[in-house]
Amino acid sequence: MTVDYLVMAAYLLGIVGVGWWGKKRAASKSDFLVAGRRLGPLMYTGTMAAVVLGGASTIGGVRLGYTYGISGAAMVFAIGLGLLALSVFFSARIARLKVYTVAEMLSLRYGDTAAVISGVVMWIYTLMLVVTSTIAYASVFDVLFDVPSWVAVLIGGTIVVGYSALGGMWSITLTDMVQFVVKSLGVLVLLLPIAVVKAGGFSAMADKLPDGFLSPTSIGGQTIFTFVLIYTFGMLIGQDIWQRVFTARSDRVAAWGGTVAGVYCLVYALAGAVIGMATKTLYPSLAAADQAFATIVQHALPTGVRGLVLAAALSAMMSTASGALIASATVANNDIWARLSRRTAPRDHDEISSNRLAIVVLGIAAMAIAVVLSDVIEALTVAYNLLVGGLLVPILGGLLWKRGNLQGAMASMVAGGTTVIAFMVTDGLLANEPIYYGLLAGLVAYVAVSLLTEPTEEAVVEAWHRRLAGEPAPAAPELSVA
């Protein structure tokens, strides 16, 4: 596999080089965190698709296809539906707010008190996203290169942390465009047709696969419903997704570019399931379903092509990891530390330095957690359960219901978040009940407490509507960082 190693090494060196080049463009806080809010349609579409389709979507999608057949596409399909809904119904309004984080949006809508609690929940979610992608590195390296998981985590994590810290969102955006192209070529153009041909074509796969593998619901209707609740709604409110929306240069770019990226996700979902089914046909008795992707790549692809497809897998993992990492650092630095420390506003240069430091610290923390955990689907489910259970109701309520207020939002965060955690402890991390009861508890608390307390102050409502209209609100200045 010498040639494959060389292909992958060249790719990784290229990514580092692109990240270094992006450093020159990160001259201000806006450049570092949201690429100056000036991405056009092509770059916005590519980077949005890259950030939502990571290690869980690639390794996990093939794993689900290997285990359940065509219905294994449900998880990634739900992600695509969520991105479509975000782009069609909400992205224009989100882009007009001109903020950096979801917690800033909640602060504008409800008042400043909501920001710290929502920031903590969002920080945990984004950090777990980094962890899931880091776990995915290890699953590929472990099968193909016979290195310990901690070595794979260290190599991949160091590269991601390095280029993310160098140029922030500009480095991540430029590397994501490279990763989007490599991922599309490696997974859709090369691996998908080669895997199907190696398996004997669709007719041969249908004859050899277990019963139910061609049914779109064999994974279970309740599981599909849970995927929609967790991933479709999670796409509507995740900091990693919103931070990409903030990079669009106009409302129209955010809406149309996100729609195209959402359609791409639906295609990617089907491709992952079919690759998993082809792997099941060829290797029906793998020790672990998580090895499905690496196994089909290792045994079915010719030299050189194998290296490119492995680079594509790394692209998927790195794009999500870097996007989640800068989102986690942004939330920690701007929503938690800055509000708790309450220091005066520093210069732009100092803000870049503090955000860069946050990326390094949280990147190291994510690598340490990834060494301890092992299940990418489990880790991703925990992240989305906390996000959706704790923040979906107050965020969508703030966008859609005028009567919602700070007290209702706080009650919803506490009720939804604690209910999710309690049911994950009692029923298991992968159970359906945590998100069901968490959302119900959050919704009841939001509506009841909002109706029983005073409406939001008029000054806050006025500032909110001015932001939604695309006008800066003097009463809500840009947050500073320590």
Side-chain angles (χ1 to χ4, degrees):
M1 293 184 65
T2 303
V3 174
D4 298 317
Y5 293 153
L6 291 175
V7 170
M8 294 180 65
Y11 164 75
L12 294 175
L13 289 174
I15 287 295
V16 173
V18 172
W20 181 265
W21 182 44
K23 180 178 183 294
K24 300 178 180 179
R25 308 190 71 168
S28 67
K29 177 182 177 180
S30 178
D31 289 331
F32 193 86
L33 296 183
V34 290
R37 306 187 195 273
R38 56 181 186 267
L39 296 191
L42 180 61
M43 189 167 286
Y44 179 84
T45 300
T47 58
M48 181 62 85
V51 75
V52 300
L53 295 174
S57 298
T58 304
I59 308 299
V62 173
R63 165 192 165 177
L64 291 174
Y66 182 89
T67 307
Y68 299 103
I70 196 66
S71 69
M75 184 187 76
V76 184
F77 208 85
I79 291 173
L81 290 178
L83 185 52
L84 284 171
L86 173 71
S87 303
V88 172
F89 299 111
F90 298 107
S91 62
R93 279 188 282 181
I94 293 171
R96 285 197 293 267
L97 289 174
K98 301 296 183 185
V99 294
Y100 291 108
T101 67
V102 175
E104 284 187 67
M105 168 263 168
L106 291 171
S107 177
L108 284 171
R109 173 61 179 81
Y110 297 116
D112 198 57
T113 309
V116 174
I117 293 180
S118 62
V120 170
V121 175
M122 191 66 72
W123 173 70
I124 295 172
Y125 155 73
T126 51
L127 186 62
M128 289 302 292
L129 277 189
V130 184
V131 172
T132 61
S133 295
T134 307
I135 292 172
Y137 305 148
S139 70
V140 173
F141 277 91
D142 182 42
V143 172
L144 296 169
F145 308 118
D146 195 26
V147 296
S149 294
W150 70 269
V151 174
V153 166
L154 182 62
I155 294 172
T158 300
I159 293 172
V160 169
V161 172
Y163 73 71
S164 299
L166 280 173
M169 187 60 82
W170 265 121
S171 289
I172 292 171
T173 296
L174 294 172
T175 54
D176 274 359
M177 280 305 298
V178 175
Q179 290 163 347
F180 172 70
V181 173
V182 173
K183 180 166 57 180
S184 300
L185 182 61
V187 175
L188 300 182
V189 178
L190 295 175
L191 180 58
L192 174 61
I194 291 175
V196 171
V197 170
K198 288 282 187 179
F202 287 106
S203 59
M205 289 167 56
D207 292 337
K208 296 177 182 178
L209 289 170
D211 292 339
F213 262 54
L214 298 181
S215 169
T217 58
S218 63
I219 198 171
Q222 189 178 38
T223 299
I224 294 174
F225 180 64
T226 302
F227 282 160
V228 171
L229 286 182
I230 294 176
Y231 299 117
T232 301
F233 287 116
M235 286 293 105
L236 300 180
I237 59 175
Q239 170 66 26
D240 54 321
I241 310 302
W242 278 40
Q243 199 157 342
R244 294 309 173 100
V245 174
F246 301 151
T247 65
R249 71 184 180 199
S250 69
D251 302 352
R252 186 176 179 83
V253 168
W256 285 102
T259 300
V260 174
V263 173
Y264 177 91
C265 291
L266 303 184
V267 175
Y268 201 87
L270 292 174
V274 172
I275 292 169
M277 293 164 65
T279 308
K280 184 71 172 182
T281 303
L282 293 168
Y283 310 99
S285 303
L286 292 179
D290 266 336
Q291 297 176 355
F293 181 87
T295 299
I296 190 68
V297 170
Q298 184 179 27
H299 296 292
L301 299 181
T303 300
V305 173
R306 182 168 47 209
L308 182 59
V309 172
L310 290 174
L314 291 175
S315 295
M317 302 167 203
M318 288 181 171
S319 57
T320 296
S322 58
L325 181 57
I326 193 172
S328 184
T330 302
V331 170
N333 205 32
N334 294 270
D335 292 330
I336 301 175
W337 174 245
R339 293 176 187 275
L340 293 177
S341 62
R342 299 182 181 278
R343 296 185 180 181
T344 57
R347 296 170 299 174
D348 253 8
H349 175 73
D350 296 328
E351 296 195 53
I352 293 175
S353 298
S354 60
N355 280 288
R356 185 173 282 141
L357 176 62
I359 287 174
V360 173
V361 171
L362 292 176
I364 294 172
M367 286 189 276
I369 296 171
V371 171
V372 177
L373 297 179
S374 60
D375 191 318
V376 65
I377 300 296
E378 190 173 274
L380 190 67
T381 301
V382 170
Y384 273 97
N385 274 344
L386 291 172
L387 173 71
V388 175
L391 295 182
L392 177 68
V393 171
I395 291 174
L396 292 189
L399 290 169
L400 300 174
W401 191 39
K402 295 180 180 179
R403 185 62 178 80
N405 62 12
L406 172 63
Q407 293 84 353
M410 298 288 286
S412 179
M413 291 180 204
V414 173
T418 54
T419 301
V420 162
I421 293 171
F423 276 95
M424 282 194 295
V425 171
T426 59
D427 292 11
L429 297 180
L430 296 180
N432 295 319
E433 287 74 17
I435 192 61
Y436 296 165
Y437 294 118
L439 280 174
L440 180 61
L443 179 61
V444 170
Y446 183 70
V447 173
V449 174
S450 292
L451 292 176
L452 291 173
T453 54
E454 293 295 322
T456 305
E457 295 180 9
E458 189 61 35
V460 175
V461 173
E462 181 181 351
W464 169 250
H465 286 302
R466 291 189 62 180
R467 282 295 185 100
L468 281 181
E471 303 172 8
E478 184 177 288
L479 293 172
S480 64
V481 295

